[in-house]
Amino acid sequence: MKLYIKNMVCSRCKMVVREIFEKAGLQPVSVELGKVDLIEKPNAQKLNELNAALHIVGFEMIDDRKSRIIEQIKNAIVELIHHKENETLFVNFSEYISQKLNYEYNYLSNLFSEVEGITIEKYFIAQKIEKVKELLKYDELTLSQIADKLGYSSVAYLSNQFKKQTGLSPSFYKSQKQNSRKNIEDL
């Protein structure tokens, strides 16, 4: 039995969700970004309790098919940008999403745009820019290294996209004392 959970974006999220299920007396077979596998389906009361406990910490169960697919798209993008090694960003993005979710990319793209009001590509770019902000804040890599790590063809292209998204150049953003970053799940 698979249960789909909205707003899971990191390893700590998986840990918190596993803990909630275990406290409810359920032993998950696996907990992945956006998904929990159980041996058997919990009853309606247990599902309501789980949903309430998840909601307290910012998660919620997803029960309709469209919402599950949207969440899977978001999780695949977050995983690709924030949790995979840099060589995966050089793959064809539409093929990656299509293969990861087992649907035609056009269907996924249309569904995402319909439900979220933005394109998958714009969501992907927003996630990449948040990763750039994170890497700039850590100040361990040059802009050239960041561009390379995130699959940009050049520093100029990264800078251009960064400025379009934030209104600031990467170097000006880096020089600011308070860098405003967004939570991944808020994008």
Side-chain angles (χ1 to χ4, degrees):
M1 154 101 219
K2 291 184 191 319
L3 293 176
Y4 295 91
I5 314 292
K6 186 174 183 175
N7 296 331
M8 289 179 67
V9 295
C10 64
S11 297
R12 284 181 301 283
C13 294
K14 294 191 297 189
M15 185 177 66
V16 169
V17 168
R18 178 177 291 281
E19 202 172 278
I20 288 170
F21 275 78
E22 288 173 352
K23 281 183 182 176
L26 300 168
Q27 296 300 317
V29 175
S30 70
V31 178
E32 299 172 35
L33 291 180
K35 183 172 56 176
V36 176
D37 284 322
L38 299 170
I39 294 173
E40 58 188 54
K41 182 178 180 176
N43 63 35
Q45 180 184 349
K46 185 66 78 176
L47 284 173
N48 286 336
E49 290 171 10
L50 282 170
N51 204 25
L54 290 166
H55 189 67
I56 289 170
V57 291
F59 304 115
E60 66 182 85
M61 282 196 264
I62 306 170
D63 55 3
D64 71 278
R65 190 177 75 75
K66 283 184 179 182
S67 294
R68 283 196 310 259
I69 293 171
I70 297 301
E71 196 64 19
Q72 288 174 320
I73 292 168
K74 288 180 176 182
N75 287 334
I77 291 170
V78 166
E79 182 178 42
L80 177 66
I81 293 171
H82 298 279
H83 304 295
K84 293 271 187 188
E85 291 301 312
N86 60 339
E87 69 269 2
T88 58
L89 285 173
F90 294 97
V91 300
N92 181 302
F93 175 68
S94 57
E95 283 179 22
Y96 172 80
I97 293 294
S98 185
Q99 288 175 355
K100 185 91 173 155
L101 275 76
N102 244 356
Y103 285 100
E104 289 291 323
Y105 183 77
N106 284 338
Y107 168 74
L108 296 172
S109 179
N110 290 334
L111 177 65
F112 193 90
S113 296
E114 172 192 321
V115 173
E116 293 295 311
I118 63 167
T119 64
I120 291 177
E121 291 80 9
K122 285 186 178 178
Y123 183 80
F124 180 68
I125 290 167
Q127 288 293 341
K128 282 177 81 170
I129 295 304
E130 286 306 309
K131 185 67 174 180
V132 171
K133 288 178 182 179
E134 175 187 331
L135 294 171
L136 286 171
K137 187 173 178 148
Y138 292 154
D139 200 23
E140 293 175 354
L141 301 174
T142 66
L143 201 53
S144 179
Q145 290 170 319
I146 292 171
D148 187 51
K149 180 178 181 71
L150 294 176
Y152 284 97
S153 57
S154 68
V155 171
Y157 183 53
L158 167 100
S159 296
N160 204 3
Q161 201 170 67
F162 190 91
K163 188 161 188 161
K164 262 188 202 174
Q165 289 285 310
T166 66
L168 306 170
S169 70
S171 55
F172 185 77
Y173 175 85
K174 187 176 180 176
S175 72
Q176 297 298 302
K177 294 288 182 214
Q178 281 199 314
N179 299 331
S180 60
R181 289 185 53 217
K182 296 179 181 175
N183 290 324
I184 293 171
E185 64 270 15
D186 293 338
L187 293 175

